[in-house]
Every structure is written in C-alpha cells, then in structure tokens.
Amino acid sequence: MVEILNAHSASTGRPPTLTKEDQLLLCLSYWREYRTFFHVGMTYAVSKSTASRIVRDTEDHLIKSKQFNLPKKIPNGGALDWNVVIVDATKIPVQRPKKTEKKL
C-alpha cells in the first residue's frame, strides 16, 4: 500500500506533515475504529480537516490503483448471516437558527 501511495506523491509544494506510512496508518485507524476526524487528527497531531483530506486522498489513490476494491456482487448462498444491524453514522451539518431570530 505504501508503494502505491509513494507513486502518487507530489513533487512540488509544501512538504507534508506526516510521512506516507503515517498517512496510511491514520487512514487505517480511521477505517478500523471509525473515530471522528478530530480524534484521529489529535492522535497524529494534525487538524480535523487534514485528517479528512488524508483519508479521502488515500482512498482515492488506493481505488485508482485497481489493486484494492470492494466486491461488486453479493455472494450467493445460504451461509450468509443476514441478521445484521446497520447504523447510519453519517455526519450531516445542521444549521440552527440563532437565538436572536424571532420564532415563527
């Protein structure tokens, strides 16, 4: 994985805060534990937005390499356990009215 990420490294611009190995570890720890980007960023001493960008870029590079992908078809067979619980943990920013605005 690190070799794939090194092939996509930028040769110009500001040098990254984290090495490619640390960026990969950040991404893997996010996938494994599904902590918030704030907490993952605190672990690696980067900001929340930097952690988000690292995960997004790492995912993009790994998918573009065609060596890592998710199965496109669900396997057939009775051995599958369909008794699962799916939790949607998507973060959606919400705009709340300010306290100074009049209520409708």
Side-chain angles (χ1 to χ4, degrees):
M1 286 186 182
V2 175
E3 293 157 357
I4 292 169
L5 294 177
N6 284 333
H8 294 286
S9 63
S11 59
T12 61
R14 185 176 180 185
T17 306
L18 299 176
T19 64
K20 290 293 182 183
E21 291 84 2
D22 287 338
Q23 290 180 16
L24 182 61
L25 284 175
L26 183 145
C27 188
L28 292 173
S29 68
Y30 172 74
W31 289 338
R32 179 178 171 90
E33 300 170 4
Y34 199 65
R35 294 185 297 163
T36 62
F37 286 124
F38 174 78
H39 290 102
V40 173
M42 292 293 288
T43 303
Y44 289 90
V46 294
S47 67
K48 174 177 75 170
S49 59
T50 301
S52 172
R53 181 182 44 78
I54 288 171
V55 170
R56 187 183 64 241
D57 290 346
T58 303
E59 288 173 349
D60 291 345
H61 293 316
L62 292 176
I63 290 170
K64 286 179 185 176
S65 74
K66 305 281 188 199
Q67 293 181 6
F68 303 95
N69 58 13
L70 295 174
K72 304 212 182 325
K73 293 183 179 181
I74 297 175
N76 295 331
L80 294 176
D81 182 19
W82 292 104
N83 296 323
V84 296
V85 176
I86 298 174
V87 177
D88 183 11
T90 306
K91 293 183 184 180
I92 300 174
V94 177
Q95 293 182 353
R96 301 188 187 276
K98 295 183 179 181
K99 292 184 179 181
T100 58
E101 295 180 11
K102 294 181 180 179
K103 294 182 181 179
L104 298 176

